[in-house]
Amino acid sequence: QVQLVESAGGLVQPGGSLKLSCAVSGSTSNSYSMAWFRQPPGTEREFVAAIRRGDGKTLHGDSVKGRFTISRERGKNTVYLQMNSLKPEDTAVYYCAATTKNPIFSYMPDKGAYDYWGQGTQVTVSS
């Protein structure tokens, strides 16, 4: 059974940094397209960033572009989200998502592109 194991989030001051990780376990596949989404309190889950299997192309949401970076560790089905210059509006539950498919670039921000989801980890940005 495929599981996504996310690292712990935490409390960070505005302007600070935090790095999240997500590892795929229980799978025989060695190649996933993976993404991060987040859900602020009382709102819909929104796209943060994605990285596609194979070519490793990345895509970042407009609200995090230039501050967050998604990356992966080849051969280990692990994805990272480096978050810099954090703002209070980045406060949310962050979810990792994965699929063995290779979505077209324009579909990568869509929640429907992903088959597996992590349990979510809380990130709070506050002084």
Side-chain angles (χ1 to χ4, degrees):
Q1 184 176 352
V2 174
Q3 286 188 315
L4 303 186
V5 181
E6 297 155 344
S7 59
L11 173 64
V12 184
Q13 289 192 338
S17 298
L18 187 66
K19 188 173 185 177
L20 302 178
S21 68
C22 173
V24 180
S25 66
S27 171
T28 58
S29 174
N30 62 1
S31 185
Y32 285 83
S33 295
M34 299 183 74
W36 290 96
F37 289 76
R38 68 185 183 186
Q39 189 164 11
T43 68
E44 297 286 319
R45 196 170 297 189
E46 63 184 29
F47 172 74
V48 175
I51 186 165
R52 197 164 61 179
R53 61 176 283 188
D55 60 16
K57 281 191 174 180
T58 61
L59 184 65
H60 294 81
D62 289 341
S63 62
V64 305
K65 207 169 290 184
R67 299 187 300 121
F68 292 12
T69 303
I70 190 171
S71 61
R72 67 183 180 188
E73 189 169 356
R74 283 186 174 275
K76 290 192 175 182
N77 285 329
T78 300
V79 68
Y80 303 95
L81 185 68
Q82 177 66 49
M83 303 184 290
N84 298 328
S85 302
L86 282 160
K87 305 174 182 179
E89 50 263 45
D90 294 318
T91 295
V93 178
Y94 283 72
Y95 294 91
C96 177
T99 178
T100 55
K101 304 181 188 74
N102 206 21
I104 60 173
F105 213 59
S106 60
Y107 192 45
M108 288 169 68
D110 195 301
K111 293 186 289 292
Y114 303 93
D115 302 309
Y116 308 104
W117 291 83
Q119 77 283 0
T121 188
Q122 177 69 46
V123 173
T124 302
V125 184
S126 174
S127 55

